């Protein structure tokens, strides 16, 4: 009896097991789980990533597309992205592009053309003409758009307004500037604007570099004033070339002329470097090892009254000087000489991405009016006119926002200066259109660094830079030419 | 086990190791050799072509930056060896004495070896900064003045050598300490009986005995300093200008910033051969000492 029962029991157990196995197999083969919509975005670690992770959650709620934000240290972000792009791995659906690299990446076929996506997007979602005009030039190559901007680091000037408004210091400046022998007579040669040598004016685009240099020298030499040095410069190995470019563009120079002849070693380029080297005398001694973080630290420590050509997105950091220096009042303005380095972080889609449509959804949202508004609320430097000029972010109307958005007007005005004063062929400057611009940009850091460190004269260094440009361009071997050789493919006009 | 199995078993056993060696060493080496004969630039949409020995010709005839970088590499290596070997020997002598708290001292000594150069290099960059750095503060307090360590082209290389010495002298000291602890006591007892001074004991007993280990430590450090890249990247970025751009940093620049893979392969192969030849000769010399 017991035996019979146990046999029955065994049969039941076996039957149950068989049913479970069949059910499991059926589940595996028949059940199709919902496909997870996910995109990966390579971006800069730190503030950018924290913010991006937070804001992308809103996007996921809205669309169901999960965003995997991959924060990479800025110093190696380009190498890492380029290795994945060149390998066509599709590891990053969305890549972060610096304006100087766009032509190189587009020319290599690494980026997807966004025009077809933009054409299909309702105007309210993309509002393409709302993007600052110079980014619309910078992010196009060969007649196609390859990136949409989300973070600007255009340059202007940040300064201690309390010092420039102080009547005692203004009087000291007047006395100093009118004393014969104190001023350098060569500085009286006006370049763009009439030079004012006897009145301490706040720096902005209507001030030329000669006047700026005079002010830096005053603060450095006039020991009665509360700062020890005249100007903060990012003359370390990373950003000195951006400062030089700003001065050079302000003087009317460029890397290439309209016919792509190399002219960085022409008079304006050399003169810009001479000004830069002279300004270095009035900067803290650590300038040659400094980046923007160190300049902000010098400002917060009360060592400097003003920056040189400086990234306006650093305003939320620089304004903290008001917390560290009693009585300090910070302001920012358009770049001295009328030109600053122009650049932004833009988003593009990896041509090897298998999720291009979803990637574009995120890209469109983040760089669009809604995403950029959210970005501005989080303290980001937006690239859209509607956000820059939004009364909600105007410190005059909403003082609570001043510490995060007081630089917006300077960004807008600087953008307008490029738009209104640059000749058509310089929109953008030719260098941005050349597919090896990324390499030339790196090369310029080395040469400018050598000149700044006194290893070579401004003229000699600029000649070396021109030669390096020609070598990178492959214009003749072993002795390169400064002019495009016959057969060189001119970058497409747009 | 059959005769056939016995014959093939050794080969089967070393096969995994062979696969690893071939996959991770020989294949990349031959791949580099292949690329060194082409004008590969991975950022260019134009397909690369065979250019024979042009990369090598360019390297030897026209690349002044490369020759400057070689000189800087040798300067860095010579500077590091000249300081680290005597200093390491001194530290090894100190650690070889019965001192109180010696275990703690040893643990502290090896700490620099345990940290990643890329991370600690960032800290050193800030410590060297003229406006905020503690090193400038200390040198100014002690000497009344301070070099502008990483911003002055004449001092930037010195700054890197000091950093490298801080991190790697303990390594030299540990090697030499092992040698000192293995020395027999008898020769020292005899020397004491014959009235030899401490200096004479060092000169005629200790030094000859540990000379092979000094040679070994020097070879290890030489190979390592020749390929040092990470602290340079973290502290000076090869600057000011190119004042600290060594051969390995230059290779990184042309290979992973400019992506001139063809030319970078040619330079790296020559670099590899030079390191192999120099280290082989040095090891042989060291063994004979």
């Amino acid at each position: 009896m017991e035996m019979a029962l146990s046999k029955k029991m065994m049969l039941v157990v076996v039957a149950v097991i068989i049913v479970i196995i069949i059910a499991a197999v059926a589940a595996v083969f028949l059940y199709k789980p919902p496909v997870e919509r996910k995109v990966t975005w390579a971006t800069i670690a730190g503030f950018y990533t924290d913010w991006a992770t937070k804001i992308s959650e809103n996007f996921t709620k809205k669309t169901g597309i999960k965003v995997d934000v991959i924060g990479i240290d800025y110093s190696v972000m380009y190498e890492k992205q380029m290795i994945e792009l060149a390998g066509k791995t599709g590891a990053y659906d969305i890549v972060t592009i610096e304006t100087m690299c766009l032509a190189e990446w587009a020319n290599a076929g690494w980026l997807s053309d966004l025009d077809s996506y933009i054409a299909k997007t309702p105007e309210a979602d993309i509002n393409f003409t709302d993007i600052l005009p110079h980014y619309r030039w910078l992010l196009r190559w060969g007649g196609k758009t390859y990136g949409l901007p989300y973070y600007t680091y255009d340059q202007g000037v940040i300064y201690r307004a309390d010092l420039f408004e102080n009547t005692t210091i203004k009087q000291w400046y007047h006395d100093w500037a009118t004393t014969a022998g104190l001023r350098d007579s060569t500085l009286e040669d006006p370049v763009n604007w009439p030079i004012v040598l006897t009145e301490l004016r706040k720096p902005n685009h209507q001030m030329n570099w000669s006047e700026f240099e005079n002010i830096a020298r005053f603060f450095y030499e006039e020991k009665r004033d509360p700062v020890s040095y005249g100007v903060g410069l990012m003359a370390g190995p990373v950003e000195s070339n951006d400062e030089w470019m700003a001065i050079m563009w302000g003087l009317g120079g460029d890397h290439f002329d309209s016919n792509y002849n190399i002219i960085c070693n022409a008079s304006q380029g050399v003169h810009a470097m001479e000004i830069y080297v002279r300004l270095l005398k009035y900067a803290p001694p650590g300038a040659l090892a400094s980046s923007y973080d160190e300049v902000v630290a010098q400002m917060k420590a009360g060592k400097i009254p003003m920056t040189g050509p400086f990234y306006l997105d650093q305003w939320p950091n620089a304004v903290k000087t008001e917390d560290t220096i009693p009585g300090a009042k910070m302001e920012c303005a358009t770049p001295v000489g009328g030109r600053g380095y122009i650049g932004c972080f833009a988003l593009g889609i990896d041509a090897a991405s298998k999720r291009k449509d979803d990637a574009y959804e995120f890209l469109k949202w983040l760089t669009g009016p809604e995403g950029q508004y959210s970005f501005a609320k989080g303290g980001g430097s937006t690239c859209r006119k509607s956000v820059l000029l939004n009364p909600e972010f105007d410190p005059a109307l909403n003082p609570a926002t001043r510490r995060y958005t007081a630089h917006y007007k300077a960004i807008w005005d600087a953008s307008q200066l490029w738009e209104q004063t640059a000749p058509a062929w310089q929109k953008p400057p030719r260098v941005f259109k050349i597919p090896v611009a990324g390499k030339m940009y790196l090369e310029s850091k080395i040469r400018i660094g050598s000149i700044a460190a006194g290893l070579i004269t401004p003229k000699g260094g600029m000649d070396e830079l021109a030669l390096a440009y020609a070598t990178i361009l492959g214009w003749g071997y072993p002795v390169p030419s400064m002019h495009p050789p016959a057969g060189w493919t001119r970058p497409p006009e747009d | 086990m059959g005769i056939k199995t016995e014959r093939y078993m050794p080969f089967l056993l070393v096969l995994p190791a062979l696969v690893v060696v071939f996959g991770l060493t020989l294949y990349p080496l031959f791949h580099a050799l292949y690329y060194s004969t082409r004008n590969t630039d991975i950022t260019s949409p134009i397909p690369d072509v065979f250019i024979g020995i042009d990369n090598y010709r360019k390297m030897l005839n026209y690349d002044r930056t490369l020759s400057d970088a070689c000189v800087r590499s040798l300067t860095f290596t010579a500077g590091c060896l000249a300081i680290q070997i005597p200093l390491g020997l001194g530290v090894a002598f100190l650690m070889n004495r019965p001192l109180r708290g010696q275990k703690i001292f040893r643990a502290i000594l090896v700490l620099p070896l345990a940290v990643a150069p890329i991370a600690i290099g960032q800290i050193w960059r800030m410590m060297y900064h003229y406006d905020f750095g503690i090193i400038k503060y200390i040198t100014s307090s002690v000497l009344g003045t301070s070099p502008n360590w990483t911003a002055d082209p004449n001092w930037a290389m010195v700054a890197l050598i000091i950093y490298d010495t801080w991190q790697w002298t303990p390594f030299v000291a540990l090697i030499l300490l092992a040698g000192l602890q293995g020395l027999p006591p008898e020769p020292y007892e005899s020397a004491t009986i014959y009235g030899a001074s401490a200096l004479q004991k060092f000169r005629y007993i200790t030094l000859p005995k540990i000379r092979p280990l000094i040679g070994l430590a020097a070879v290890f450090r030489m190979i390592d300093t020749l390929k040092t890249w990470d602290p340079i990247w973290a502290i000076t970025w090869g600057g000011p200008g190119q004042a600290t751009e060594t051969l390995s940093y230059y290779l990184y620049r042309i290979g992973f910033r400019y992506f001139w893979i063809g030319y970078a392969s040619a330079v790296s192969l020559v670099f590899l051969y030079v390191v192999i030849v120099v280290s082989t000769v040095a090891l042989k010399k060291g063994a004979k000492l």
Side-chain angles (χ1 to χ4, degrees):
Chain A
M1 182 68 183
E2 277 182 6
M3 191 73 171
L5 268 176
S6 66
K7 267 189 182 175
K8 273 184 186 173
M9 277 295 287
M10 273 184 68
L11 281 171
V12 169
V13 170
V14 170
V16 168
I17 290 170
I18 289 170
V19 168
I20 290 171
I21 291 170
I22 291 170
V25 171
V28 168
F29 284 98
L30 299 177
Y31 175 71
K32 286 201 166 49
V35 179
E36 189 189 30
R37 295 177 72 187
K38 189 183 90 169
V39 290
T40 52
W41 172 26
T43 188
I44 309 154
F47 157 75
Y48 308 88
T49 311
D50 300 342
W51 165 81
T53 307
K54 194 163 175 275
I55 204 171
S56 64
E57 286 163 9
N58 299 336
F59 170 76
T60 305
K61 274 183 207 156
K62 193 174 173 182
T63 61
I65 302 170
K66 193 173 168 238
V67 183
D68 201 355
V69 181
I70 300 167
I72 306 170
D73 190 72
Y74 176 63
S75 54
V76 291
M77 190 174 72
Y78 286 90
E79 288 95 313
K80 281 183 86 84
Q81 289 191 124
M82 285 172 82
I83 287 166
E84 301 295 346
L85 289 166
K88 297 183 171 43
T89 64
Y92 309 130
D93 300 301
I94 301 159
V95 288
T96 300
I97 313 165
E98 199 164 26
T99 31
M100 225 16 137
C101 296
L102 185 116
E104 186 169 56
W105 293 12
N107 181 53
W110 295 345
L111 299 175
S112 294
D113 161 22
L114 300 179
D115 281 340
S116 57
Y117 288 104
I118 292 168
K120 282 187 279 186
T121 309
E123 181 56 21
D125 287 351
I126 189 80
N127 198 0
F128 194 65
T129 52
D130 185 39
I131 295 169
L132 293 180
H134 60 293
Y135 295 134
R136 279 183 269 144
W137 324 321
L138 286 168
L139 299 171
R140 283 175 73 77
W141 192 80
K144 293 172 182 168
T145 304
Y146 287 96
L148 291 172
Y150 83 99
Y151 187 96
T152 171
Y153 47 87
D154 279 0
Q155 286 182 335
V157 59
I158 298 179
Y159 55 90
R160 289 263 307 272
D162 56 304
L163 301 177
F164 285 87
E165 289 168 0
N166 185 309
T167 48
T168 312
I169 294 176
K170 283 173 91 74
Q171 185 58 48
W172 288 341
Y173 182 80
H174 177 81
D175 297 343
W176 180 86
T178 48
T179 305
L182 279 179
R183 284 190 276 114
D184 186 343
S185 58
T186 59
L187 298 182
E188 294 182 31
D189 177 26
V191 181
N192 290 321
W193 302 89
I195 189 167
V196 178
L197 282 172
T198 54
E199 182 195 343
L200 182 64
R201 303 192 303 167
K202 290 177 181 176
N204 63 31
H205 71 275
Q206 290 185 319
M207 177 179 284
N208 66 38
W209 283 103
S210 303
E211 186 177 341
F212 183 84
E213 196 182 328
N214 218 39
I215 294 170
R217 187 179 160 201
F218 161 75
F219 277 110
Y220 178 73
E221 289 183 354
E222 179 57 65
K223 296 301 176 198
R224 287 177 296 178
D225 70 60
V227 289
S228 334
Y229 298 98
V231 61
L233 293 174
M234 310 177 282
V238 185
E239 283 104 8
S240 55
N241 57 338
D242 289 356
E243 293 185 309
W244 163 70
M245 271 184 247
I247 303 173
M248 177 183 68
W249 279 329
L251 297 176
D254 209 332
H255 303 262
F256 295 88
D257 67 13
S258 58
N259 293 313
Y260 285 95
N261 297 301
I262 297 170
I263 55 163
C264 64
N265 57 340
S267 60
Q268 295 96 333
V270 176
H271 187 44
M273 202 58 227
E274 287 166 350
I275 289 173
Y276 191 64
V277 170
R278 285 201 299 267
L279 282 174
L280 270 170
K281 287 191 294 189
Y282 313 131
L288 281 166
S290 293
S291 178
Y292 52 85
D293 278 337
E294 283 83 4
V295 171
V296 170
Q298 287 158 0
M299 186 71 86
K300 285 184 192 167
K303 291 187 175 195
I304 52 170
M306 58 187 180
T307 67
F310 200 64
Y311 308 116
L312 287 165
D313 68 300
Q314 291 302 311
W315 166 259
N317 282 333
V319 75
K320 290 176 186 164
T321 305
E322 293 176 358
D323 304 330
T324 55
I325 306 291
K329 178 182 155 196
M330 299 303 295
E331 283 181 4
C332 59
T334 43
V336 171
R339 291 273 191 279
Y341 180 75
I342 41 174
C344 68
F345 294 123
L347 301 184
I349 300 174
D350 182 350
S353 166
K354 292 181 178 66
R355 297 169 289 217
K356 289 193 182 114
D357 289 347
D358 285 351
Y360 178 70
E361 281 301 311
F362 179 65
L363 197 151
K364 177 188 74 181
W365 181 81
L366 185 62
T367 64
E370 187 188 334
Q372 288 287 289
Y373 174 78
S374 305
F375 186 25
K377 295 282 272 186
S381 291
T382 174
C383 306
R384 282 189 171 265
K385 177 185 172 183
S386 61
V387 184
L388 288 171
L389 301 182
N390 187 333
E392 190 182 336
F393 301 125
D394 183 347
L397 302 170
N398 182 9
T401 195
R402 175 178 169 269
R403 291 174 72 96
Y404 301 101
T405 61
H407 57 307
Y408 279 12
K409 187 172 184 311
I411 291 172
W412 169 250
D413 290 343
S415 161
Q416 289 299 289
L417 280 169
W418 268 102
E419 168 74 357
Q420 291 162 4
T421 60
W425 68 267
Q426 227 178 5
K427 294 179 179 178
R430 289 289 195 225
V431 67
F432 288 99
K433 291 286 178 193
I434 295 176
V436 289
K439 294 179 180 113
M440 294 195 296
Y441 183 69
L442 290 170
E443 197 67 34
S444 67
K445 288 177 194 283
I446 295 169
R447 308 296 162 184
I448 303 299
S450 295
I451 302 168
L455 293 169
I456 192 166
T457 62
K459 175 64 180 152
M462 285 297 124
D463 285 343
E464 276 196 3
L465 179 61
L467 203 62
Y469 280 178
T471 305
I472 290 170
L473 284 156
W475 288 358
Y477 175 78
V479 183
S481 159
M482 296 297 119
H483 313 287
W488 181 69
T489 313
R490 195 181 159 105
E493 292 290 338
D494 179 23
Chain B
M1 196 180 278
I3 293 170
K4 275 190 175 176
T5 318
E6 220 169 86
R7 189 184 295 167
Y8 296 122
M9 187 53 82
F11 294 104
L12 282 173
L13 290 174
V14 296
L15 191 63
L18 279 177
V19 169
V20 169
V21 169
F22 183 79
L24 298 179
T25 309
L26 294 177
Y27 175 72
L29 191 68
F30 286 120
H31 218 62
L33 194 62
Y34 167 77
Y35 277 120
S36 74
T37 59
R38 306 183 73 82
N39 62 349
T40 313
D41 172 354
I42 63 170
T43 64
S44 170
I46 303 163
D48 59 349
V49 292
F50 177 76
I51 54 167
I53 58 164
D54 268 11
N55 281 328
Y56 294 93
R57 194 181 296 154
K58 178 184 169 190
M59 186 195 324
L60 297 172
N61 292 336
Y62 303 112
D63 195 346
R64 207 189 73 197
T65 311
L66 175 66
S67 50
D68 289 348
C70 286
V71 171
R72 284 185 213 107
S73 278
L74 292 174
T75 308
F76 178 69
T77 300
C80 288
L81 288 181
I83 299 172
Q84 289 169 21
I85 299 296
L87 196 61
L89 189 60
V91 173
F93 267 107
L94 269 179
M95 290 202 298
N96 197 34
R97 286 165 173 251
L99 294 170
R100 281 181 69 185
Q102 199 186 50
K103 283 184 179 170
I104 296 170
F105 178 58
R106 275 188 204 171
I108 292 171
L109 194 75
V110 296
L111 274 180
L113 293 172
V115 292
I118 207 85
I120 200 72
Q122 303 278 0
I123 308 286
W124 274 76
R125 185 172 70 85
M126 290 311 295
M127 291 191 341
Y128 273 134
H129 198 279
Y130 195 85
D131 299 326
F132 314 104
I134 190 164
I135 293 176
K136 183 254 173 178
Y137 175 78
I138 292 169
T139 42
S140 295
S141 304
V142 176
L143 305 171
T145 180
S146 169
N148 200 342
W149 290 101
T150 51
D152 184 335
N154 300 314
W155 283 97
M157 186 61 88
V158 178
L160 289 175
I161 292 170
I162 291 173
Y163 162 81
D164 197 78
T165 300
W166 168 81
Q167 183 155 47
W168 291 103
T169 300
F171 172 75
V172 176
L174 287 177
I175 290 181
L176 299 182
L177 179 65
L180 288 176
Q181 291 187 335
L183 294 179
E186 292 82 4
Y188 292 95
E189 288 165 6
S190 305
T192 307
I193 291 165
Y194 284 104
S197 68
L199 193 66
Q200 284 171 322
K201 285 180 199 169
F202 172 74
R203 170 73 183 81
Y204 296 106
I205 304 173
T206 311
L207 202 56
K209 293 273 185 198
I210 63 164
R211 201 172 280 164
L213 282 176
I214 294 175
L216 189 72
V219 170
F220 280 158
R221 290 303 304 130
M222 186 193 71
I223 295 171
D224 214 30
T225 48
L226 279 175
K227 62 187 176 67
T228 293
W229 170 83
D230 23 12
I232 301 173
W233 184 87
I235 298 172
T236 63
W237 272 54
Q242 287 168 298
T244 54
E245 188 175 80
T246 58
L247 189 51
S248 53
Y249 194 90
Y250 176 65
L251 260 172
Y252 154 75
R253 181 157 71 86
I254 59 173
F256 294 104
R257 304 280 297 184
Y258 293 6
F259 288 95
W260 291 336
I261 300 300
Y263 187 56
S265 296
V267 176
S268 61
L269 279 176
V270 171
F271 179 44
L272 178 72
Y273 298 144
V274 169
V275 171
I276 288 172
V277 169
V278 171
S279 52
T280 307
V281 170
L283 276 172
K284 277 191 179 171
K285 290 269 183 197
K288 279 183 187 169
L289 288 171

